[in-house]
Every structure is written in structure tokens, then in C-alpha cells.
Amino acid sequence: MTQNQFLSLSLFLLTFLTAGPLCRTLTDAAGGGNWAVLKPSIGISAMHMQLLNNDKVVIFDRTDFGRSNISLPDGKCRVDPNDTVLTNDCTAHSVEYDVATNGIRALTVLTDVWCSSGALTPDGRLIQTGGFNDGDHVVRIFRPCSGCDWEEINSGLTYRRWYATNQILPDGRQIIIGGRRQFNYEFYPKTSATVAYNLPFLVETNDPQEENNLYPFVFLNTDGNLFIFANNRAILFDYSKDVVVKKYPQMPDGNPRSYPCTGSAVLLPLKLFQGNAAGGAEVLVCGGAPKGSYTSASKKGTFVGALNTCGRIKITDPNPQWVMENMPTARVMGDMVLLPNGNVLIINGGSAGSAGWEFGRNPVLNPVIYHPNNPGGSRFEGQNPSSIPRMYHSAAILLRDGRVLVGGSNPHIYYVFTNALFPTELSLESFSPSYLDPGSANLRPKIISPVSQTKIEHKQRIAVRFTVPGMVNANLVSVTMVAPTFTTHSFAMNQRLLVLGGGTVSTVGMSTYEVRVVTPGSGILAPSGFYMLFVVHQEIPSQGIWVQIQ
């Protein structure tokens, strides 16, 4: 490395590691963001959601709820002699939501998808795995094309997968980890014999009668290994050698954060310099319920107060330690969504009880935004409340226009709309963070080039051209790439945000600018597939464009 390169890298790291919205003090008082009801009913409850690269969202709940409020098209019916409620059902339990038109299209899913998992392939197909009953060994494929519907492979999995987690690997495969009474993992697609591999960590983290290690939080680390968090602790796992590389300290308070004492987690934004990781990788785990909360709710009818803490750990440090922070409000069953500017939205859930049928209480209607680059003690910012409780079986995902799509809440065994503390919720709404306020329009970038759906390569220098109506602060311009997620049960699988730093902003015309950045250097940093690319100016993101990294 030359002296100039060293100085550039040092300046870049200093800028990114100290940058943050320090011009104001954040408080836990509400006052940011706006809500809008998009659809009073989509016919089903949004238990699982996945954004596709055609700006459509695949949504589904489960087939054994009884009849939904949306019919299958053309008089079609699902005939399933194994269904536990209806063997002949002419209603849909999956829909496609069109972001551009705000329209809904009924989809046909045959076997039970309840509490399943999923991830995208490099070419944009949704691979959805497992579920309940006759769906627990099934792999389902949904292609992002006009008029497409579910395809089902009945024996696609080695073991039943119910409450499992999928993670995309650098080679484009998926690893499917855990599930109820499954202390193992397997891969999709299969490359050899149909096998699964034991993972003793899932046995070690299994609480008797409570589990508290379902839907483990899994992230692809910058070294290619997997960070796997379950219950109250984590490991770094080399899946290629079936070896635990590192054991992380237990969460200091010892309380579980995984289902059913459900918290949430994100891999904080990965900062890149010339396509390489700069500054390490950090994980943030927030909320959950004290140990025993599920038993208290289910056996005694006692709803224990949720946790108000977050644990943050730098997983790439030689001696990593958890640093604890307090949220403004306790929260169980909350969702965590990475916003295009690198902040984290914490949304949905309740402040008492646990996940499970009618075991949550006290809806938390106010989201908060976590600013990871701010000093400790000034990272949480309260937001305006929704009027709709989003309890068990809710979901939230980021859209390309910067809004967050929010739906779901079905804390019952069936669809229950009356005489219930929290009725089954069929509505779909959006939360618009304050960066979408009209007052920010003068600072908001608009990407001119490349065009959406552009193909890019790893470690490629690209020029991103954009306009800004007002004055531009070239030192506060960045380019981010955000992976679309499969979200269910308070965890967004494969959520990943990369900051493509080190670019110099130049003026190329009236209110028109260009920034040259280097794309992530390998599939370890950014597995091949579709990402939303944003230009961010003074924490105000542009509308994203789709790029496909190969």
C-alpha cells in the first residue's frame, strides 16, 4: 500500500466511524415518520413477506387457518386430504402485492407453509422451505414473472423444517438451519446425496419446554463464516468444514432473544473501501422476553414485561464483548429493518408476554429509529405511532422507494375477527421515515444512471450519476446496497446493507453529480443476486434502483 493509499483509507475510516447525525440530540419522544393504510384487507394475514426484484411482494400465512377473505381465481380450489381444517378450500393463503399499482393477486399454495423460511437465488427466484404438517419437507419456488404462481417440490428437504432460518451463501446456495426439534442443517439445492449435518450448538441452546432457540439469527460474516445466534449466545461457524470457529460470550443479562422469547437482530451496515471490508462487522440484537416468559403466559396466564435492552457486539474483534444499551420501550416480537441510510427501524410487537397463541400483551405502536453511528446514549429516536396493533405473526420489509411495508398480526389458531383482544389483522400499511417528508425534497437525490435492473460484477468501479435540487454537501454523499429480505416471526433473513465508500463526488451539469464507487469485492461480502442501490445525501436516500451483482 502506498502512502497516499494509506492516507486515503485512514481518512475514509475516520469519516465513516465517526459520522452520524450529530447536529441534534435524539430522545425517546415520538415525532417522526408517517403512516398510511395501503389496503384495508389483502384477504390474508401477512405472516411471511419477501420483496422481489419486480417490485412485487410475495405474502402468505398458512393453509390450516380455515377460509381466508380472498378467493382463488377462476373457481379454483385447493384439495388436500391432509389439511387439519379444510380438505377442500377455495380461498387463497398467499397473495402477490404490486407496490406500483397497490394491487393484490391471489396465489395458490397447496401444502402448509405455516412458520416456514426462505431466501432468494442469484437469478431472483424465491426458494421457500418447510412449514407444518404436509408442508414440512416441501420446497416451493416462486419466480418473479407476470402471472407466475407457486411450484412445489414435495420431498425437497431432508428433514422437516418448521421455525428454521435460511441464509444465502457466497456460492449462491442456501443453508437451512434448525427448526423445531431439528438440531441440524442442510443445503439447497442439493449437490450430492440428500444429507443433513448435526449442529450441537442448537442442542446446547435448547431450553426445556420453551426451546428459545427457534428461528436463529444467522448472518454471513466478512470472513465467509456464519454468525449464528440462538437463545442468549452465539457462535462463528465454518459450514464448509462443519467446525465452530469461535464461541461468543453469553448475552450479559442471560435472557433469551430467540423464538418464543422473540427479539430481533440485524447485521449493522458493512462499510467497504475499494470493495473490501473496512472496520469489521457488528451485530445488534434488540428486545425479547425474560427466560420463562413463554411458560408464564401459556401455563399461568401471567404476562411478564418484555426486555428493553439491546446488545451490540463486534463479531470480527479478537476478543468480542457485548455492549448493552436501553431502548425507550421494552419490546417483544419487534421487527428490525435496515433503512437505506444505514439507520435501523425497530417496529411492531408488544411490551409484555411472548410469541405464541394470544401470549403477547400491550402493543407497542411507536417505532423507534436506532442511529448506529451516534454516541452511546443518543442513538434511539422515537417515531409517530400506528393505530393498528401488530402482535404475533406480523412482518415488516423495506421497499425500493424507502417506505417500510407493514402487515400481519394473527395471534390466534384460526382467523378471528370478533370477540378477541387482538383480532386477526388483514390490513397492509406503510411507514414512511422522516427522510421522505416533503421538507427534505431539496436534499433528496434522484439516480439518473445506471438504470434499474443493471447487471454489475464484484469489485467493479461504477459511476453513479444523480441529481439534487438544492445545494450538495459532497462530503455527505454515499452509495448503499440493500438486499431484499424474507421476513417472518421478527427476523429478516439475509438482511444486509453495504456502504460503498471512498467515492469522490464531481459536478457534471446543472444540479447533476457523479460519484464513482467500487462494488463489493466478493460473494462473501455480497452474495450474487439482486440488491437495491441508493444514493444517500445528508441521510436522505434516493429512490433505489435494482442492480444484479454476478
Side-chain angles (χ1 to χ4, degrees):
M1 179 182 289
T2 66
Q3 183 176 14
N4 285 341
Q5 287 173 324
F6 176 78
L7 290 173
S8 296
L9 176 59
S10 300
L11 180 61
F12 166 75
L13 286 172
L14 181 64
T15 301
F16 268 97
L17 297 178
T18 60
L22 304 181
C23 57
R24 56 194 175 96
T25 301
L26 303 183
T27 70
D28 59 6
N34 292 288
W35 289 88
V37 175
L38 302 174
K39 305 288 288 187
S41 173
I42 60 172
I44 66 170
S45 186
M47 187 188 298
H48 313 75
M49 295 201 290
Q50 171 73 63
L51 175 66
L52 304 177
N53 68 288
N54 58 0
D55 291 317
K56 295 179 181 178
V57 182
V58 175
I59 304 173
F60 53 94
D61 49 24
R62 55 184 285 196
T63 60
D64 58 351
F65 266 174
R67 293 179 180 87
S68 75
N69 281 22
I70 182 171
S71 297
L72 288 167
D74 305 320
K76 187 188 301 181
C77 296
R78 179 182 63 89
V79 179
D80 183 359
N82 297 311
D83 193 278
T84 58
V85 178
L86 287 173
T87 57
N88 192 304
D89 186 357
C90 301
T91 63
H93 297 280
S94 177
V95 299
E96 180 187 70
Y97 173 68
D98 189 324
V99 176
T101 67
N102 198 39
I104 289 289
R105 181 171 69 93
L107 302 174
T108 306
V109 63
L110 298 175
T111 52
D112 198 354
V113 288
W114 178 30
C115 300
S116 54
S117 53
L120 297 178
T121 61
D123 63 3
R125 290 171 296 147
L126 169 59
I127 304 297
Q128 187 277 321
T129 51
F132 181 65
N133 193 19
D134 62 355
D136 59 10
H137 281 72
V138 178
V139 170
R140 304 169 191 86
I141 301 171
F142 191 89
R143 304 172 190 273
C145 50
S146 179
C148 283
D149 211 333
W150 288 103
E151 307 165 25
E152 304 200 22
I153 305 169
N154 285 330
S155 299
L157 298 172
T158 303
Y159 289 117
R160 69 194 298 255
R161 298 294 168 189
W162 191 30
Y163 301 92
T165 297
N166 292 27
Q167 171 63 49
I168 303 169
L169 300 175
D171 61 6
R173 290 182 301 157
Q174 298 176 24
I175 186 171
I176 308 163
I177 299 176
R180 177 151 284 169
R181 294 181 287 279
Q182 296 299 334
F183 309 114
N184 52 62
Y185 64 94
E186 61 183 287
F187 298 94
Y188 185 86
K190 305 297 181 190
T191 54
S192 56
T194 303
V195 294
Y197 304 87
N198 290 330
L199 186 57
F201 174 69
L202 295 178
V203 178
E204 297 162 9
T205 54
N206 184 45
D207 286 340
Q209 300 183 344
E210 282 211 351
E211 298 172 292
N212 285 328
N213 67 348
L214 301 180
Y215 281 124
F217 307 141
V218 181
F219 302 107
L220 178 62
N221 192 21
T222 54
D223 62 1
N225 295 316
L226 298 177
F227 176 88
I228 304 175
F229 181 102
N231 199 315
N232 56 16
R233 52 196 182 275
I235 59 172
L236 191 64
F237 184 63
D238 184 340
Y239 62 89
S240 66
K241 298 178 181 177
D242 193 29
V243 170
V244 174
V245 176
K246 180 184 295 185
K247 291 186 177 181
Y248 292 93
Q250 179 177 287
M251 187 77 75
D253 62 11
N255 283 314
R257 310 287 175 144
S258 305
Y259 181 93
C261 286
T262 302
S264 190
V266 292
L267 178 69
L268 289 174
L270 295 175
K271 300 173 177 70
L272 308 185
F273 182 79
Q274 300 300 326
N276 301 314
E282 291 185 271
V283 168
L284 179 71
V285 179
C286 289
K291 190 172 183 177
S293 294
Y294 176 79
T295 300
S296 293
S298 61
K299 304 294 185 185
K300 305 174 186 177
T302 302
F303 305 98
V304 178
L307 301 173
N308 71 340
T309 53
C310 295
R312 181 168 167 171
I313 189 169
K314 195 165 187 178
I315 65 176
T316 47
D317 269 3
N319 183 31
Q321 299 295 321
W322 291 100
V323 176
M324 304 305 291
E325 302 179 75
N326 289 327
M327 297 187 290
T329 306
R331 194 180 302 253
V332 62
M333 299 180 291
D335 287 278
M336 295 173 69
V337 181
L338 289 171
L339 300 176
N341 59 9
N343 295 329
V344 183
L345 178 70
I346 307 174
I347 196 169
N348 297 338
S351 63
S354 77
W357 298 130
E358 305 190 45
F359 298 151
R361 291 294 186 273
N362 305 340
V364 181
L365 300 175
N366 293 77
V368 296
I369 288 180
Y370 178 85
H371 296 253
N373 292 325
N374 273 18
S378 62
R379 290 178 176 149
F380 292 97
E381 178 183 15
Q383 302 294 293
N384 288 323
S386 170
S387 60
I388 303 174
R390 301 289 181 181
M391 301 294 281
Y392 185 45
H393 289 152
S394 301
I397 60 169
L398 177 69
L399 300 177
R400 187 169 58 88
D401 59 18
R403 293 178 299 160
V404 174
L405 188 68
V406 181
S409 190
N410 194 340
H412 316 288
I413 296 178
Y414 306 115
Y415 295 110
V416 179
F417 304 105
T418 57
N419 301 320
L421 186 60
F422 304 112
T424 298
E425 187 56 61
L426 305 184
S427 69
L428 203 61
E429 60 185 335
S430 66
F431 176 73
S432 297
S434 58
Y435 56 58
L436 293 174
D437 290 351
S440 300
N442 215 37
L443 299 176
R444 186 170 298 119
K446 179 181 179 181
I447 297 175
I448 299 173
S449 64
V451 297
S452 201
Q453 307 294 338
T454 291
K455 289 178 168 45
I456 58 177
E457 297 178 354
H458 289 106
K459 211 169 182 65
Q460 176 185 348
R461 183 170 293 277
I462 60 172
V464 181
R465 189 163 290 194
F466 62 97
T467 61
V468 176
M471 294 291 293
V472 168
N473 185 334
N475 295 319
L476 294 177
V477 172
S478 61
V479 177
T480 61
M481 287 173 53
V482 186
T485 62
F486 181 95
T487 299
T488 188
H489 289 74
S490 301
F491 184 55
M493 301 176 195
N494 297 289
Q495 188 165 212
R496 199 172 191 82
L497 187 150
L498 303 118
V499 183
L500 311 185
T504 301
V505 177
S506 58
T507 304
V508 294
M510 182 69 68
S511 301
T512 305
Y513 308 88
E514 187 175 274
V515 57
R516 292 182 173 270
V517 293
V518 178
T519 62
S522 71
I524 291 175
L525 295 176
S528 295
F530 286 90
Y531 292 77
M532 294 174 280
L533 184 141
F534 300 87
V535 172
V536 181
H537 174 230
Q538 297 188 46
E539 297 226 337
I540 310 299
S542 66
Q543 182 170 108
I545 62 169
W546 286 107
V547 295
Q548 184 183 17
I549 193 165
Q550 298 175 312

